Amino acid sequence: MLVLGLETSCDETGVALYDSERGLLADALFSQIDLHRVYGGVVPELASRDHVKRLLPLLREVLEEADRKPEDIDGIAYTAGPGLVGALLVGASCAQALAFAWGIPALGVHHMEGHLLAPMLEEQPPEFPFVALLVSGGHTQLVRVDGIGRYQLLGESVDDAAGEAFDKTAKLIGLGYPGGPEIARLAQSGTPGRLTFPRPMTDRPGLDFSFSGLKTFALNTWQQRRSAGDDGEQTRCDIALAFEQAVVETLTIKCKRALKQTGLKNLVIAGGVSANQSLRQSLAKMLGEFKGEVFYARPRFCTDNGAMIAYAGCQRLLAGQQDGPAIGVQARWPMEQLPAV
């Protein structure tokens, strides 16, 4: 089955073609970072309009790269949520219109399921069951995964997601957008041990996260340093390092607890923050204790992309799932509500 995947949940337009027998044939992505940088964050209306502008040119690019024609496509998968409603509607409308015109089925895909399954695109994919850490700008969740659609939520953030905390902290200390990569870049020049930030919610049982207080701690530290005249670039680097270390260690501690609780040995990390090298190194070291393995997608498939949507949609279309002609999206959508395949 050849499936076209469309991703328009936020500020990146992704299109891909996935073949159930040959794997990923082609993918293309346009990021709106430059468009939103001047505002310091994503402007939903601008994001929606840019998706309208980019989708069809990217579709033509992918078809040309894969040397395929529209009549070769057997189904269309699109991101139906969670995400920005306006942006989601662009992808959903395009997918349903093309499906109607081409006489093929369309299926709305859960954005976070796409992230969770992105490591399946690699040469050595994980085998079920495993624990998944979904860590992005909008979500921080620990999930037991026994199969596609067989998900048990173990813990999640009670306030800011980890990626959101990275971006907000960067803005609070005067860094550019997007903040996550900026924090990681400055952290490489930080002075180890100069500053120590708390590891939130690690001193109590459970698998939930909280990063809002950590963000406030970083702001207070920056303001105190500025008041003392210590607001140079090195101080920013030291705050970035202390913040990154706190987030990474917190995530690692919770993942270790989840593996112990479930009795599983393998861990999948997915979502934009999974590209952070410090996090990958910390989790790989921790997995050594369990004689397990950590799996993740290549960096370009950690952020939003059409390939993960095409793959997830392909598995569900093969199982006979498809949507009707109505256009519907969900800003919020618990992943546990998805049917099993």
Side-chain angles (χ1 to χ4, degrees), residues 2 16-19 22-27 62 65-68:
L2 181 62
L17 277 173
Y18 180 85
D19 188 288
R22 298 181 56 196
L24 184 65
L25 301 184
D27 73 283
V62 164
E65 180 183 343
D67 192 23
R68 293 294 188 274

Side-chain angles (χ1 to χ4, degrees), residues 154-170:
L154 303 174
E156 62 183 340
S157 180
V158 299
D159 42 54
D160 289 354
E164 181 182 7
F166 265 103
D167 287 341
K168 288 182 176 178
T169 297

Side-chain angles (χ1 to χ4, degrees), residues 57-76:
L58 288 177
L59 172 57
R60 296 188 189 99
E61 178 183 333
V62 164
L63 286 171
E64 182 177 352
E65 180 183 343
D67 192 23
R68 293 294 188 274
K69 298 178 180 179
E71 50 264 35
D72 297 325
I73 299 174
D74 301 305
I76 303 178

Side-chain angles (χ1 to χ4, degrees), residues 183 186-191 232-242:
I183 290 281
L186 288 188
Q188 295 177 359
S189 301
T191 307
E233 186 68 8
Q234 186 57 51
T235 295
R236 278 196 176 91
C237 292
D238 295 342
I239 290 175
L241 176 61

